[in-house]
Amino acid sequence: MSSPELRFEAQRAFVWAFVIGAIALAIYISQSLLVIFGAMVFAAMIDGGARLLGRVLPIGRTWRVVAVLALAGAFFYWLVLFAGSQISREAAQLPSIVERQIGITFSWLQAQGFAVDINDIQNIAGNLLSGVGTLTRALGGIFGGLTTLLLITIIGIYLAMEPQLYERGVAWLFPRHRRAEFYSTASQMAYTMRRLMAGRLIGMVFEGLFTWMLLAWYGVPMAALLGILTGLLAFVPNLGALIAGSLMVLVGFSGGTEMGLYTIFVYFLVQTFDGYVLIPLIAKKTVDLAPAVVLTGQLIMGILFGVIGLFLADPMLAMLKVALERRAARHQAADDKLLEAESGS
């Protein structure tokens, strides 16, 4: 095309087509992108552990990463070897206990005059579960749940071994004058992710361990299983605590009113200490997300991507917050320079 106007219009049309195609491609491969983001979260956990070991062990980064993975593998091996049989028996009994206690609860509400139909509640729960399972079903059909977890683990290990390699690869996609900005933002994101994951892991260990100890001391059935579920669900703020607390209370009331009241006390004690002592000391000063924003993000991610989206909603919101804050800071600095120049002139 010899006409400059035609070349300009063709270039502009190509850019629009490329942008629209990129958006459509991102939507089409959003499931895989979410798995990659999960691998980045896992890599941040490994990286944080390797950095902590680096403060006490003068060895190379690769060996520190291997040590972190070995310690994690040893923990899961111990969990399966020494607690697997007991937990599996308790897990088999848990659904029947929860179902029986829910039936008792609805019967009590109906006796008090509330027009509650358990069939309606079951239908609502079924609709919710079917609505939030899009990605889980898709990944289950393509890879399977264990394979997805394996993919996240393998990609996360590669990212943790050589993070600078992949960071440089992404930076090359930016113009040269924007790369310093990218490195600065990526460094802040990595720091924020490490602090967030440290808070999550410490909170998970604390909630799971103390829940198990307090429940076992009183003789609450399935104390080990409830402790593990509470620890795992602590990774999901707000919703995880509510689900774990509901299970704990239902199992507690299966042993009588006093035991049920005790489980309520344990739930509030553990959640209060975790929410007002542990999280502010570890992560809240770095990632101060409003609870309503977190809950909204969890609901949206849960509906779009199922259980995996629910677990990754909080880290994704934290990364978006860092990116927006860095962008606002750059614009503010540019505005300040412009005002100084105008006032000087």
Side-chain angles (χ1 to χ4, degrees), residues 24-317:
L25 178 64
I27 295 174
Y28 182 74
I29 64 172
S30 58
Q31 302 169 2
S32 301
L33 293 177
L34 196 66
V35 172
I36 295 173
F37 181 74
M40 294 171 62
V41 174
F42 180 65
M45 296 181 188
I46 302 175
D47 183 54
R51 289 172 181 266
L52 288 177
L53 285 180
R55 297 181 180 181
V56 296
L57 293 178
I59 57 177
R61 174 182 173 82
T62 302
W63 290 108
R64 284 184 275 125
V65 171
V66 171
V68 171
L69 294 174
L71 290 173
F75 168 75
F76 284 109
Y77 175 76
W78 170 84
L79 185 64
V80 172
L81 186 64
F82 291 97
S85 59
Q86 177 185 353
I87 294 173
S88 62
R89 288 195 302 269
E90 292 179 352
Q93 299 172 3
L94 180 62
S96 60
I97 293 178
V98 172
E99 184 178 356
R100 183 171 63 252
Q101 291 302 116
I102 291 176
I104 294 174
T105 302
F106 279 109
S107 298
W108 180 82
L109 290 174
Q110 290 173 350
Q112 303 302 316
F114 292 96
V116 179
D117 189 356
I118 190 171
N119 294 325
D120 295 338
I121 302 298
Q122 290 176 346
N123 292 333
I124 294 174
N127 291 333
L128 290 176
L129 290 176
S130 63
V132 302
T134 305
L135 178 61
T136 306
R137 290 195 303 271
L139 291 177
I142 300 174
F143 303 110
L146 293 177
T147 308
T148 302
L149 185 61
L150 182 62
L151 283 174
I152 291 176
T153 303
I154 293 174
I155 297 173
I157 292 174
Y158 278 122
L159 293 175
M161 285 289 186
E162 294 181 302
Q164 290 81 12
L165 174 65
Y166 302 99
E167 188 178 28
R168 288 196 303 268
V170 176
W172 289 341
L173 299 176
F174 289 87
R176 189 180 297 274
H177 66 279
R178 297 290 300 274
R179 291 176 186 175
E181 256 177 46
F182 166 76
Y183 281 121
S184 176
T185 302
S187 176
Q188 184 63 35
M189 282 184 170
Y191 173 78
T192 301
M193 182 71 80
R194 289 194 301 270
R195 289 292 298 269
L196 178 65
M197 291 300 102
R200 290 288 177 268
L201 290 175
I202 294 177
M204 290 168 66
V205 172
F206 166 79
E207 291 191 26
L209 183 62
F210 278 83
T211 298
W212 167 69
M213 292 174 59
L214 293 173
L215 295 181
W217 175 78
Y218 194 82
V220 178
M222 306 181 184
L225 178 62
L226 291 173
I228 292 175
L229 290 176
T230 302
L232 292 176
L233 290 171
F235 191 85
V236 184
N238 303 327
L239 290 178
L242 291 175
I243 297 172
S246 300
L247 293 175
M248 191 189 310
V249 172
L250 288 172
V251 173
F253 275 101
S254 67
T257 304
E258 294 183 359
M259 185 178 290
L261 294 176
Y262 177 76
T263 56
I264 295 175
F265 166 74
V266 170
Y267 169 75
F268 281 106
L269 177 65
V270 172
Q271 295 299 326
T272 300
F273 186 83
D274 181 66
Y276 288 95
V277 178
L278 284 180
I279 291 179
L281 287 177
I282 299 170
K284 191 172 182 180
K285 292 181 180 179
T286 304
V287 191
D288 190 10
L289 295 172
V293 175
V294 175
L295 185 59
T296 302
Q298 289 171 347
L299 292 175
I300 294 174
M301 291 292 291
I303 292 173
L304 292 178
F305 301 108
V307 177
I308 298 179
L310 187 64
F311 273 82
L312 297 178
D314 194 32
M316 188 171 292
L317 285 174

